[in-house]
Amino acid sequence: MSDASSGWEVALTETSNQFWPVVLKHNNLVLRPLKYRDKFAWEKLRDNNDSWFKEWEATVPKEFNEEKLSYFQIVNKFRKEAKEQRSLPWVMQVDGKLAGQVTVANINFGSTRSAYIGYWIGEQFAGKGYTPLAVAMAIDYCFKKIRLHRIEIAIRPENQKSLRVVEKLGLRNEGIRPKFLHINGEWRDHVIYAINEEELTTSLVLKLKSN
């Protein structure tokens, strides 16, 4: 199925009204589910970028003593959350290579119809426009296909690269949430950026491409 109004294509494996799995495509960028067979490529990407990710990685406070998940546990966790319609956990694939991840998480329906988006990308793919495009594709999908009302993105004020992503997309700054998320071993302040569905008069992908 193509969505010309959004500038991307969506592939559904069974029926057009299913929640997951979903594949989104725009030129050489593909958003798709993480698979068991991605283990080697995913672990290589993570290992090669360990120092690149470390400063911005979500962590669990030591007092909770949670064990690190294995790769297969991560895939199963993603599948379970998606099946329960709580998240859309896509990996980014560029020219057939795993490049990063963009996840729509904490999906709520009912009176809020909202979610958060988080993302990361390998250093070798950074600065080439893939992350803002992936986030734009994800937001368009959330607004057009599952009819969410609001998307939030939380970013540390020091993370200039991530701040450029939301600035390119035109999300509004809603201010600081003190010690909002546990990152790299500490509770860190985050700036909240948000967008509501009615703020877009066109697809966010097309808006990004026109700038």
Side-chain angles (χ1 to χ4, degrees), residues 7 14 33 38 57-58 80 95 107 113 122 125 144 166 186 198 200 208:
E14 294 176 4
D38 292 321
E57 282 277 273
K80 181 176 185 292
D95 295 324
I107 295 174
R113 302 200 71 88
F125 299 100
K144 291 175 176 292
V166 292
E186 299 287 344
E198 65 269 18
L200 286 179
L208 177 66

Side-chain angles (χ1 to χ4, degrees), residues 5-111:
S5 66
S6 297
W8 46 263
E9 293 183 348
V10 53
L12 302 174
T13 58
E14 294 176 4
T15 62
S16 60
N17 63 350
Q18 76 178 52
F19 185 89
W20 188 262
V22 173
V23 177
L24 307 182
K25 301 178 181 179
H26 183 89
N27 296 334
N28 64 333
L29 175 63
V30 177
L31 305 186
R32 64 166 177 82
L34 186 65
K35 301 175 181 178
Y36 290 136
R37 64 172 178 265
D38 292 321
K39 183 177 187 295
F40 176 78
W42 192 86
E43 290 183 342
K44 182 179 180 182
L45 178 66
R46 296 292 306 177
D47 290 344
N48 288 349
N49 288 274
D50 182 62
S51 58
W52 169 257
F53 296 144
K54 185 176 181 181
E55 187 174 358
W56 317 112
E57 282 277 273
T59 48
V60 177
K62 291 180 179 179
E63 60 265 30
F64 295 102
N65 196 31
E66 292 187 15
E67 292 185 6
K68 185 176 180 180
L69 298 180
S70 70
Y71 175 79
F72 295 109
Q73 287 174 322
I74 290 171
V75 176
N76 289 338
K77 178 175 180 287
F78 287 165
R79 289 181 175 181
K80 181 176 185 292
E81 291 179 350
K83 184 178 180 180
E84 294 172 350
Q85 299 192 5
R86 294 189 290 121
S87 76
L88 295 163
W90 285 295
V91 290
M92 296 185 230
Q93 183 174 290
V94 175
D95 295 324
K97 298 179 180 178
L98 286 189
Q101 189 170 322
V102 57
T103 300
V104 182
N106 294 341
I107 295 174
N108 290 289
F109 294 102
S111 60

Side-chain angles (χ1 to χ4, degrees), residues 62-181:
K62 291 180 179 179
E63 60 265 30
F64 295 102
N65 196 31
E66 292 187 15
E67 292 185 6
K68 185 176 180 180
L69 298 180
S70 70
Y71 175 79
F72 295 109
Q73 287 174 322
I74 290 171
V75 176
N76 289 338
K77 178 175 180 287
F78 287 165
R79 289 181 175 181
K80 181 176 185 292
E81 291 179 350
K83 184 178 180 180
E84 294 172 350
Q85 299 192 5
R86 294 189 290 121
S87 76
L88 295 163
W90 285 295
V91 290
M92 296 185 230
Q93 183 174 290
V94 175
D95 295 324
K97 298 179 180 178
L98 286 189
Q101 189 170 322
V102 57
T103 300
V104 182
N106 294 341
I107 295 174
N108 290 289
F109 294 102
S111 60
T112 57
R113 302 200 71 88
S114 65
Y116 288 90
I117 286 182
Y119 47 84
W120 56 263
I121 194 166
E123 185 174 11
Q124 63 270 44
F125 299 100
K128 299 177 181 179
Y130 294 122
T131 303
L133 177 57
V135 174
M137 291 164 67
I139 291 175
D140 278 350
Y141 185 81
C142 287
F143 286 162
K144 291 175 176 292
K145 299 300 182 182
I146 62 173
R147 301 183 66 185
L148 294 185
H149 169 69
R150 173 184 169 88
I151 298 291
E152 292 187 10
I153 299 177
I155 302 173
R156 284 180 57 188
E158 306 90 345
N159 192 342
Q160 292 298 316
K161 293 181 176 64
S162 193
L163 289 172
R164 283 198 291 271
V165 170
V166 292
E167 289 166 0
K168 286 180 180 179
L169 296 175
L171 274 65
R172 67 177 178 279
N173 184 329
E174 294 192 334
I176 292 279
R177 287 186 186 169
K179 301 190 182 303
F180 181 59
L181 292 171

